[in-house]
Amino acid sequence: MSQSSALPPSVTRLIDALMQLPGIGPKSASRLAYYLLRSPAELSLQLADALRDLKAHTRLCTVCFNITESDPCPVCSDPSRDHSVICVVEEPLDVMAIERAKVYRGAYHVLHGVISPINGVGPEDLKINELLARLRRAGDNGQPVREVILATNPTVEGEMTAAFIQRKLTGLDVRVTRLARGLPVGGDLEYADEVTLSRALEGRQQF
Amino acid sequence: MSQSSALPPSVTRLIDALMQLPGIGPKSASRLAYYLLRSPAELSLQLADALRDLKAHTRLCTVCFNITESDPCPVCSDPSRDHSVICVVEEPLDVMAIERAKVYRGAYHVLHGVISPINGVGPEDLKINELLARLRRAGDNGQPVREVILATNPTVEGEMTAAFIQRKLTGLDVRVTRLARGLPVGGDLEYADEVTLSRALEGRQQF
């Protein structure tokens, strides 16, 4: 007897759909489906509505390429932010992470990935040309960008992408910086890897 | 600046809905939402439809209380199965697990939980009275149940529930069995806990 005759088709369909999500295998999918079965119908309907609205209401901001419902996005159209500083990140979730820190008041530029030859992702697949065009446009408009913060992830691919962009920016009258490397706050020196420790030493600051 | 102004409301709504699921925290929810944003719209819509259908099409079988779209469920209404044997399990997912093993050809009875005083779950919250009524009904119809397999989980609460049901069944002309305890296939003797090992020794069989 197959599994499908023990499970109603509507449950099987949900499990199959959930299994397409990253990090959700057959067991987690079954458990989630069963949890939804036991929960009030509102939860399932709320999720269904949110999923339906997701694609219908979102697009990419034509300035910074972050995900947005209005174009330009709330950050790009906020006059109280400093648009002469652009923080370049890999993904929209990185914007969220930086916003959560509540210390950055500049603009963003979302690359939508990193240069990764192994995955066949080249510079032309990212929003790098769009960044260069944006810098040129800002200069033409008499509101030049003073600083570009390369905030790609501290991984091999992130560093490679940052280095590529940095080379592209040479010759332009713009300061290029990147996020400090060092010990994470709340971390333990004993468990820090050698690379992090050597970066923390290199970047040591006056107490 | 709040997180919500960096993230469109439709994305925030999906993240909030996902976070209500068990085992999904803010980080996993963000990652799932972002994955769905990047994926083709079909995936989101497929999930939305499956969620919508879930509650609309499913109910509990009035015989065995498994989740089903038709009542009685496919197992209960299958004449090729042996309805004189009832396997008592905690949850619908347990039925699925046993069906996957493809060795059991009897019927089921889903308790929908275990006796758990700490969580305020008593015998009357489970489908135990329904099991007793089912056994009586089967006898009255001249198709008595020969065997009840208590297949609750090998946990304290599962054992307690099995013991409770067993006491309720004394006096009835029915064989009460439970699943064998022992070493899991593919397991490692070295890593087996003492209780499992002692059960495996107690239940040793002729080679």
Side-chain angles (χ1 to χ4, degrees):
Chain A
M1 187 171 165
S2 78
Q3 179 181 318
S4 57
S5 58
L7 264 192
S10 54
V11 181
T12 315
R13 261 199 311 276
L14 178 61
I15 292 177
D16 289 346
L18 287 169
M19 273 169 57
Q20 294 179 57
L21 298 177
I24 296 188
K27 288 228 167 174
S28 321
S30 306
R31 232 170 277 136
L32 286 175
Y34 180 60
Y35 178 84
L36 287 164
L37 268 170
R38 284 200 298 184
S39 309
E42 287 76 52
L43 176 55
S44 300
L45 293 180
Q46 192 185 333
L47 252 176
D49 288 342
L51 284 162
R52 218 167 261 288
D53 288 353
L54 185 69
K55 291 285 182 164
H57 295 180
T58 56
R59 73 192 94 171
L60 295 186
C61 171
T62 49
V63 180
C64 73
F65 299 95
N66 193 10
I67 290 158
T68 181
E69 290 193 1
S70 55
D71 186 20
C73 75
V75 171
C76 287
S77 55
D78 183 347
S80 77
R81 294 190 73 121
D82 181 358
H83 296 280
S84 70
V85 183
I86 296 180
C87 180
V88 178
V89 296
E90 295 179 16
E91 306 287 2
L93 288 182
D94 300 329
V95 174
M96 219 177 95
I98 294 174
E99 285 296 302
R100 259 201 305 267
K102 295 194 171 72
V103 291
Y104 181 66
R105 298 287 311 154
Y108 291 96
H109 193 90
V110 182
L111 296 173
H112 288 275
V114 273
I115 298 173
S116 171
I118 220 165
N119 295 315
V121 181
E124 68 289 345
D125 299 314
L126 309 176
K127 306 292 182 191
I128 295 177
N129 286 330
E130 287 82 351
L131 173 65
L132 299 174
R134 182 177 170 187
L135 295 176
R136 249 177 275 124
R137 215 163 50 224
D140 293 346
N141 293 346
Q143 297 169 317
V145 172
R146 287 182 295 122
E147 180 177 355
V148 170
I149 306 171
L150 297 175
T152 51
N153 285 323
T155 58
V156 173
E157 292 172 336
E159 301 282 10
M160 197 160 65
T161 308
F164 180 88
I165 296 174
Q166 199 226 329
R167 271 199 308 277
K168 285 276 176 189
L169 296 179
T170 46
L172 276 79
D173 183 24
V174 62
R175 195 176 156 219
V176 182
T177 57
R178 63 175 194 163
L179 298 183
R181 303 297 191 250
L183 295 172
V185 176
D188 192 324
L189 210 105
E190 190 183 340
Y191 298 118
D193 62 290
E194 308 93 276
V195 184
T196 300
L197 261 180
S198 65
R199 293 290 172 82
L201 274 167
E202 279 163 31
R204 66 189 179 279
Q205 287 165 325
Q206 187 77 34
F207 198 70
Chain B
M1 188 171 163
S2 77
Q3 178 181 322
S4 56
S5 59
L7 264 191
S10 53
V11 181
T12 315
R13 261 199 312 277
L14 178 61
I15 293 178
D16 289 345
L18 287 169
M19 273 170 57
Q20 295 179 55
L21 299 176
I24 296 187
K27 287 229 167 175
S28 321
S30 307
R31 232 170 277 133
L32 286 174
Y34 180 60
Y35 178 84
L36 286 164
L37 269 170
R38 284 200 298 185
S39 309
E42 287 77 52
L43 177 55
S44 300
L45 293 179
Q46 192 186 334
L47 252 175
D49 288 342
L51 284 163
R52 218 166 261 288
D53 288 354
L54 187 69
K55 291 285 181 164
H57 294 178
T58 56
R59 70 190 97 171
L60 296 184
C61 170
T62 49
V63 180
C64 73
F65 299 95
N66 193 10
I67 289 158
T68 181
E69 290 192 1
S70 55
D71 186 21
C73 75
V75 171
C76 287
S77 56
D78 184 346
S80 77
R81 294 189 74 119
D82 180 358
H83 296 280
S84 70
V85 183
I86 296 180
C87 180
V88 178
V89 295
E90 294 179 15
E91 305 289 0
L93 288 183
D94 300 330
V95 174
M96 220 178 93
I98 295 175
E99 285 296 302
R100 259 201 305 268
K102 293 194 172 71
V103 290
Y104 180 67
R105 298 288 307 154
Y108 290 96
H109 193 88
V110 182
L111 296 173
H112 288 274
V114 273
I115 298 175
S116 170
I118 220 164
N119 294 317
V121 181
E124 67 289 345
D125 299 313
L126 309 176
K127 306 292 182 191
I128 295 178
N129 286 330
E130 287 81 351
L131 173 65
L132 301 173
R134 183 177 170 188
L135 295 175
R136 249 178 272 122
R137 214 162 52 224
D140 293 346
N141 292 347
Q143 296 167 318
V145 173
R146 288 182 295 120
E147 181 175 354
V148 169
I149 306 172
L150 296 174
T152 51
N153 284 324
T155 59
V156 173
E157 293 173 338
E159 301 282 13
M160 196 161 68
T161 307
F164 179 88
I165 297 175
Q166 197 225 331
R167 273 201 306 279
K168 285 277 176 188
L169 296 179
T170 47
L172 276 81
D173 184 23
V174 62
R175 198 176 152 217
V176 181
T177 57
R178 63 174 192 164
L179 297 183
R181 302 297 191 251
L183 295 171
V185 176
D188 193 324
L189 210 105
E190 190 182 339
Y191 298 117
D193 62 291
E194 309 94 275
V195 184
T196 300
L197 262 181
S198 65
R199 292 289 171 82
L201 274 167
E202 278 164 32
R204 65 189 179 279
Q205 288 166 324
Q206 188 78 36
F207 198 69

